[in-house]
Amino acid sequence: MARVGLLVLLLALAYAAVAVSASGGAHRHRHHHRHRRGSRSSARLRLVPAAPDASLADRAHDDRQRHAYISSRLASSTSPRHGRRRAAEEPESSAFAMPLTSGAYTGTGQYFVRLRVGTPAQPFVLVADTGSDLTWVKCRGGASGSSSSSSPRVFRPADSRSWAPIPCSSDTCTSYVPFSLANCSATAMPCSYDYRYKDNSSARGVVGTDSATVALSGGGGGADKKAKLQEVVLGCTTSYDGQSFQASDGVLSLGNSNISFASRAAARFGGRFSYCLVDHLAPRNATSYLTFGPADDSSSSDARGAPSAPLPSSRTPLLLDARMAPFYAVTVDAVSVAGEALDIPSAVWDVTTNGGAILDSGTSLTILATPAYNAVVKALSKQLAGVPRVTMDPFEYCYNWTASSTPPAVPKLEVRFAGSARLEPPAKSYVIDAAPGVKCIGLQEGAWPGVSVIGNILQQEHLWEFDLANRWLMFKQSRCAH
């Protein structure tokens, strides 16, 4: 499963009811199909907090597996073909909104989006993953064999008038489809893939194109107005193994790839997409959105959580770099704790020295390369030295938060990105609830050299907008819930 795979692997991520949960993650490929000119629209996909059902140790274990995959993927990156990124089409005044809901009822820790595929449109529940490049659905009747899925929601390409297989000899298959199979005895044979995941799960199928139906919002089009995205690259997974794929119908690819759904949708809807993650411990009915087109933040709040006028966004360059593909990388200039800048080698944040930092919706706990992890944890634990320690896997520092009648003060953590953009996450995003009365420093150590990953818990209660056309990442504090 390598690329999109590992990202989907995180499908099985879950999180304890007393632990952290979050929203839910692989490659960068380009789609060479011609984009049709569309309306200036944006689309919103409802996002809901991840499920708090599995143990925190399991979630941390899955995060480490995902990080190992990300690191190996980036380390082995040579010079893949990327081609020129298409200029985004002129955006329109509307947006399209796709509801995203929590996977809590399935016992997973992901965010699910409902997407309608094919003609006539067939509905599916997919994992929204910023680390995936290939959108795929469980399938029946594909060229690779019969489906092993017992779900009533399986895509039947024969029933879709708009389904078109991609030949194995095509440039899309040979250059951009992750884990495409070399077997191509006849040029007209469909492009096949066989993903192998770190947890020994796998997905096999064929690749084609089909339409996706989305509901528009804004632009005076009315609540019932719909639009079709044509020639969306779609994997038809005819057989799969592993627990990773039991909870959903497949994956919605939001990665930096020319064949991802994000690339296709953003090209038509303003060249950008955004998401806002509610508190990872929020109730199931608290929802947020994944939006294509102009971001709409009607849920800004002040420091006390009270509604307020929308806050101005911070802005930092978005590194759509071949070395980091298909992930979204940013440059970290400094990290401070309690107002004091930490001594972290600049190489840790430099993509040219096998470092760097990415934002990943599929990783829950933030993972820092060893020099950064040591510096941040040392500074936080020093500030919390007066709080009684307790032992709780998988964390190095956990505290009995009820030992005193006065709650301890959590030191302020600040991440400064290039361009002086500052992320000041709420304390609960890095000193997290791990059990009743117990809080832990919710960070994990990653290998060095290696990439650092800003997980979805550290991203929560902020609106993140990915301007792919102009290569900017904007973010600001928000309550997210609608």
Side-chain angles (χ1 to χ4, degrees):
M1 233 61 278
R3 318 189 156 176
V4 130
L6 200 274
L7 303 163
V8 170
L9 173 154
L10 300 175
L11 240 165
L13 295 184
Y15 165 51
V18 292
V20 272
S21 85
S23 76
H27 318 137
R28 160 179 190 144
H29 297 305
R30 303 290 213 220
H31 175 201
H32 64 275
H33 289 295
R34 185 172 306 166
H35 293 299
R36 300 187 183 179
R37 194 174 189 82
S39 31
R40 175 185 201 137
S41 320
S42 33
R44 294 175 68 187
L45 313 180
R46 176 184 292 176
L47 286 161
V48 187
D53 293 343
S55 73
L56 189 53
D58 286 343
R59 173 159 285 250
H61 176 264
D62 288 334
D63 281 347
R64 288 193 296 271
Q65 281 194 317
R66 183 181 180 93
H67 184 257
Y69 162 74
I70 291 172
S71 297
S72 62
R73 168 87 194 274
L74 296 178
S76 62
S77 176
T78 52
S79 298
R81 293 181 56 189
H82 298 298
R84 175 179 297 231
R85 176 175 291 276
R86 275 180 211 75
E89 299 181 18
E90 185 64 24
E92 303 179 10
S93 58
S94 59
F96 81 75
M98 300 162 59
L100 266 162
T101 57
S102 173
Y105 64 96
T106 67
T108 71
Q110 301 301 309
Y111 286 75
F112 294 159
V113 60
R114 286 168 172 78
L115 180 68
R116 300 176 68 85
V117 175
T119 308
Q122 304 173 44
F124 299 97
V125 176
L126 308 179
V127 171
D129 187 355
T130 59
S132 293
D133 46 8
L134 178 66
T135 296
W136 64 264
V137 294
K138 295 174 182 177
C139 192
R140 180 172 295 154
S144 291
S146 61
S147 171
S148 58
S149 173
S150 59
S151 169
R153 296 185 304 263
V154 276
F155 181 59
R156 296 170 175 82
D159 294 342
S160 174
R161 297 189 300 273
S162 47
W163 167 261
I166 292 177
C168 61
S169 58
S170 68
D171 187 51
T172 296
C173 184
T174 58
S175 299
Y176 306 129
V177 173
F179 298 94
S180 59
L181 298 177
N183 180 25
C184 189
S185 56
T187 57
M189 289 180 60
C191 178
S192 299
Y193 58 86
D194 186 353
Y195 291 174
R196 299 287 173 171
Y197 295 79
K198 288 279 186 179
D199 64 350
N200 295 319
S201 61
S202 63
R204 297 167 290 279
V206 296
V207 182
T209 62
D210 212 327
S211 63
T213 302
V214 297
L216 297 179
S217 61
D224 296 330
K225 185 175 181 180
K226 290 180 170 51
K228 273 198 172 185
L229 295 174
Q230 305 290 348
E231 298 181 339
V232 172
V233 176
L234 182 70
C236 171
T237 294
T238 52
S239 61
Y240 64 91
D241 301 297
Q243 190 62 33
S244 297
F245 310 130
Q246 302 301 322
S248 77
D249 302 326
V251 175
L252 181 74
S253 57
L254 300 177
N256 176 31
S257 159
N258 215 36
I259 65 169
S260 73
F261 182 85
S263 173
R264 182 71 184 89
R268 176 167 175 177
F269 294 96
R272 64 187 64 193
F273 74 93
S274 60
Y275 60 75
C276 198
L277 306 180
V278 296
D279 185 327
H280 67 280
L281 294 178
R284 176 180 171 182
N285 63 353
T287 62
S288 54
Y289 292 88
L290 170 63
T291 301
F292 285 90
D296 173 24
D297 179 28
S298 57
S299 54
S300 295
S301 60
D302 60 22
R304 298 167 298 172
S308 66
L311 299 171
S313 294
S314 296
R315 186 171 85 159
T316 189
L318 186 61
L319 305 181
L320 304 181
D321 191 294
R323 288 166 294 197
M324 307 303 287
F327 309 102
Y328 296 106
V330 290
T331 298
V332 175
D333 280 348
V335 178
S336 64
V337 170
E340 181 178 345
L342 305 182
D343 184 14
I344 300 173
S346 59
V348 170
W349 313 120
D350 188 348
V351 298
T352 67
T353 57
N354 296 321
I358 65 172
L359 277 84
D360 184 26
S361 70
T363 299
S364 297
L365 300 167
T366 291
I367 300 175
L368 299 176
T370 297
Y373 173 84
N374 288 341
V376 173
V377 169
K378 179 180 179 181
L380 289 173
S381 61
K382 179 181 178 180
Q383 296 289 325
L384 297 172
V387 186
R389 293 269 300 274
V390 295
T391 300
M392 177 173 287
D393 289 336
F395 300 107
E396 185 176 358
Y397 288 92
C398 291
Y399 303 90
N400 180 354
W401 219 250
T402 61
S404 172
S405 58
T406 303
V410 176
K412 179 181 175 182
L413 173 68
E414 179 182 276
V415 181
R416 182 161 57 86
F417 299 106
S420 299
R422 298 175 185 272
L423 172 63
E424 300 177 7
K428 62 184 178 181
S429 295
Y430 53 94
V431 178
I432 63 175
D433 292 305
V438 176
K439 292 183 183 289
C440 299
I441 297 178
L443 306 172
Q444 293 202 89
E445 181 179 2
W448 174 249
V451 67
S452 295
V453 180
I454 300 173
N456 54 40
I457 293 178
L458 203 66
Q459 297 177 46
Q460 69 182 3
E461 297 190 343
H462 282 74
L463 174 67
W464 300 87
E465 183 171 18
F466 297 75
D467 184 346
L468 305 181
N470 299 303
R471 302 195 173 203
W472 289 104
L473 173 70
M474 282 82 75
F475 60 91
K476 62 180 177 180
Q477 182 182 348
S478 173
R479 289 181 295 117
C480 296
H482 288 258

